Amino acid sequence: MMNMNVIGFEKIVCSSLLVFTLYTACTEAISLQRQILLDIIENRTYDKRIPPGIDFGDIYEEQPTNVSVQLFITEIYDVNVNEMDFSITCYLRQKWVDHRLNFSHPDITLELTQEEINSIWTPDTFFPESKKGDLHTITKPNTLMHIYHNGTVLYSLRLHVQLSCSMDFHLYPLDHQRCPIHLESYGLTASKLLYTWIDGTPVHVKNENLPLYDINGNPPTDVSLCHRSLFNGGTGFSCLTMVIELKRSVGYYMTEIFIPDILIVGLSWVSFWLHPLAVPGRVSLGAVTVLTMSSLGSASRRNAPRVSYVKAVDVWSLFQIMFVFIALVEFSVVNVLARFKVSDARASEIAQESASKYRESQGNVQDPDKDESRRPYLGRAKKIDKISRIAFPAVYLFFNFLFWVIVPNL
């Protein structure tokens, strides 16, 4: 019994010593990190206003500070075709080496708070295409800075940015927008600050599908020398370029514009199977199709971008109205021919020469006047209707072939 109590006491002592040792080690590590950070921040020779590359103490050793950038776009939304802009939520991650932040503990990584970040030099990166933007601050400013023993600094921001995009709507709604987006320094020229994309995947878009657009998840990127200023002798600014590609999904417009238009045009061809003298039915059908097509065209234009040039949807709507209107004109022509009458004497002569030709009926439909011998052009009117039954669909199919093959590939 005595031995068991001794063993239990020894276990308790060992456990206590282990906990105390771990606590002491953690406390010492935290204290060491705090001391290193204080040494950096309170270092009188450190100046956060000067980039690391030109703070070597010797003018001949000055060199541009290389900043590697990665952009992770978590969301693209509010694509506004009238204002020509869209909004993104993104993580902007930047990495550079600041030799002034070296310390001799490779197993320690300094993690800075927002107040401490304000004491460290950071690049003045901005988006030239931005209309407005802000840093997410829920529940605190969404910033991150890690400093490694060799002076490598990792700086991450979570941003909301509204970006402008010069859009071309000539092919709307089959358009494909390419929006170049730049990142560059606002005040430091290429002699002091150089940007590069990180290796691998420098830009990634998380949500590749929007309600009306498909997006390339890995946009193309480039590094170039951007705008040249007149105020610094022509020295350029280092610049990073990416292209956000917005390909409009045509499914919504198929159900709202194209399919209804095709059905209305097909409905207008029903009049070709009615008798040339069936005036109430053919007039009603033609008027309804023309008015319906006009209202559909107005609705499609109401939701379209407001631009001064002709768009693909305008060409489409124009041809739909033309097909419906020409079908109505065709009825007018055949009705005039069918209603033309001759005198009774002339009718008798025609009846004797070709009675069978002018007494033929079309299906079960009969001439309301029961006197086809007095209508010498009725047969010609019916022939025009028969030709229209084939010609109109053929021409319409040819137009659709040209539209759906040529326009999307422009």
Side-chain angles (χ1 to χ4, degrees), residues 51-53 56 65-68 95-102 121 150-153:
F56 282 99
T65 301
N66 293 297
V67 178
S68 300
K95 182 185 290 187
W96 66 92
V97 176
D98 192 338
H99 64 278
R100 301 169 296 181
L101 304 179
N102 294 346
W121 177 88
N150 60 354
T152 300
V153 181

Side-chain angles (χ1 to χ4, degrees), residues 79-152:
V79 180
N80 191 327
V81 295
N82 292 318
E83 298 295 333
M84 291 193 181
D85 59 34
F86 62 97
S87 299
I88 65 172
T89 298
C90 66
Y91 293 94
L92 176 61
R93 297 163 180 163
Q94 303 173 87
K95 182 185 290 187
W96 66 92
V97 176
D98 192 338
H99 64 278
R100 301 169 296 181
L101 304 179
N102 294 346
F103 56 89
S104 58
H105 297 277
D107 56 334
I108 293 179
T109 299
L110 301 181
E111 300 178 359
L112 279 62
T113 63
Q114 180 62 44
E115 292 76 13
E116 295 165 342
I117 292 175
N118 294 332
S119 303
I120 305 298
W121 177 88
T122 55
D124 56 345
T125 308
F126 81 110
F127 295 85
E129 289 81 11
S130 64
K131 291 185 174 181
K132 60 182 179 180
D134 54 73
L135 175 70
H136 282 262
T137 57
I138 300 175
T139 58
K140 289 186 176 182
N142 295 173
T143 58
L144 175 149
M145 179 175 283
H146 290 175
I147 302 176
Y148 301 91
H149 74 283
N150 60 354
T152 300

Side-chain angles (χ1 to χ4, degrees), residues 35-76:
Q35 185 60 45
I36 294 172
L37 191 58
L38 289 175
D39 292 342
I40 293 174
I41 295 176
E42 296 179 359
N43 187 351
R44 295 178 181 270
T45 62
Y46 184 86
D47 192 342
K48 68 176 183 178
R49 300 170 298 177
I50 302 177
I54 61 176
D55 191 14
F56 282 99
D58 188 343
I59 190 172
Y60 298 104
E61 295 184 8
E62 292 183 0
Q63 59 186 2
T65 301
N66 293 297
V67 178
S68 300
V69 178
Q70 181 185 40
L71 193 67
F72 183 72
I73 301 175
T74 59
E75 188 176 12
I76 297 180

Side-chain angles (χ1 to χ4, degrees), residues 349-364:
E349 294 178 4
I350 295 174
Q352 293 175 359
E353 293 175 359
S354 53
S356 60
K357 177 180 178 180
Y358 294 99
R359 295 182 185 278
E360 292 178 353
S361 61
Q362 185 177 3
N364 295 324

